[in-house]
Amino acid sequence: MPGHLIGARVNKNLVMGGLFLVREDMRGKGIGKALFEKRAAYVGDSNFGISIGTKLLTKQKHLYSAPFYAFDIIGYGGKRGGLGQPVSDKYQIRPLAEIDFGDVVKYDTNICHGQERSRFLNRWAAGLLSRSLVATENGKVVGYVTLRPADEGYRIAPLYGENPEVILALFNAITEARSEDDHIFMNVPTTNDTMMKIVKDLKLEPAYTLRRMYTKEIVMPPLDKIGSLMTMEVTIC
């Protein structure tokens, strides 16, 4: 495959995109330009959102005309280590299989600006390679987290919680079965103070910084409830 990029329609007014790559030996042949033109035709008059690496944005600014800056995301990775923060035990945390899937979908939809992702969640959060936990309070879903194998170690994506206590409890629960030498990776919005403290405590290293931008208007997810985003290219959170 000489090259690829993503354009994923969220709804009639919004398309998300990313993952632009042209094979090194095929560059300079107009493939990238053709891909951009094809995606532009697909986006049409819709609002277009993209999460682009800040280094690439500086290097190839002429390719990205998305003037509305929303927020930054840092990809962190490193050994799991041990948390230096107390964890609340007021929430029930159980495997996804023990919770009504419809309740989890409803919670996820509220986090993601009304985007219903049941088919996606069924493959991602409930997939054979995934371990997903759900936090409830008085029978109501207040957060969930998914851990999946990565090329090295594990990726935590997503991690959603109604407040810092839930986020911390879910993070602890999903990682406690892992060795402190296991590597974990997360995509953390820089405005979420709870997660920024966690990555600091664990001494995780930043691997890259992404900038979320839109062409027409900002669509802002509730970043205080997002410890780690699920994806950057096909949904808003």
Side-chain angles (χ1 to χ4, degrees), residues 138-198:
N138 299 321
K140 180 182 178 181
V141 173
V142 292
Y144 78 95
V145 61
T146 296
L147 181 140
R148 292 168 60 91
D151 291 339
E152 177 188 4
Y154 301 87
R155 182 170 298 280
I156 296 173
L159 170 51
Y160 302 150
E162 283 299 290
N163 57 53
E165 284 186 339
V166 177
I167 289 175
L168 188 59
L170 282 169
F171 177 86
N172 189 66
I174 201 70
T175 59
E176 64 182 358
R178 308 261 64 87
S179 162
E180 290 196 0
D181 287 331
D182 279 342
H183 281 70
I184 56 173
F185 302 91
M186 299 176 288
N187 290 310
V188 179
T190 58
T191 56
N192 190 301
D193 294 339
T194 300
M195 284 309 300
M196 294 303 286
K197 187 172 190 318
I198 287 175

Side-chain angles (χ1 to χ4, degrees), residues 1 4 8-10 13-14 18 20 23 35 46 51 56 62 71 77 80 83 85 93 157 167 193 222-223 230:
M1 184 170 62
H4 65 74
R9 185 163 293 281
V10 175
N13 299 314
L14 177 64
F20 172 50
R23 207 171 71 200
L35 287 170
S46 300
S51 300
L56 186 61
H62 62 289
F71 58 93
R80 174 196 176 270
L83 275 178
Q85 303 179 52
I93 296 179
I167 289 175
D193 294 339
L223 298 179
M230 182 181 291

Side-chain angles (χ1 to χ4, degrees), residues 9 12 15 31 47 80 117 133 187 195 201 205 221-222:
R9 185 163 293 281
K12 65 179 182 179
V15 175
I31 293 172
N47 188 19
R80 174 196 176 270
R117 307 189 292 182
L133 300 175
N187 290 310
M195 284 309 300
D201 284 354
E205 294 292 330

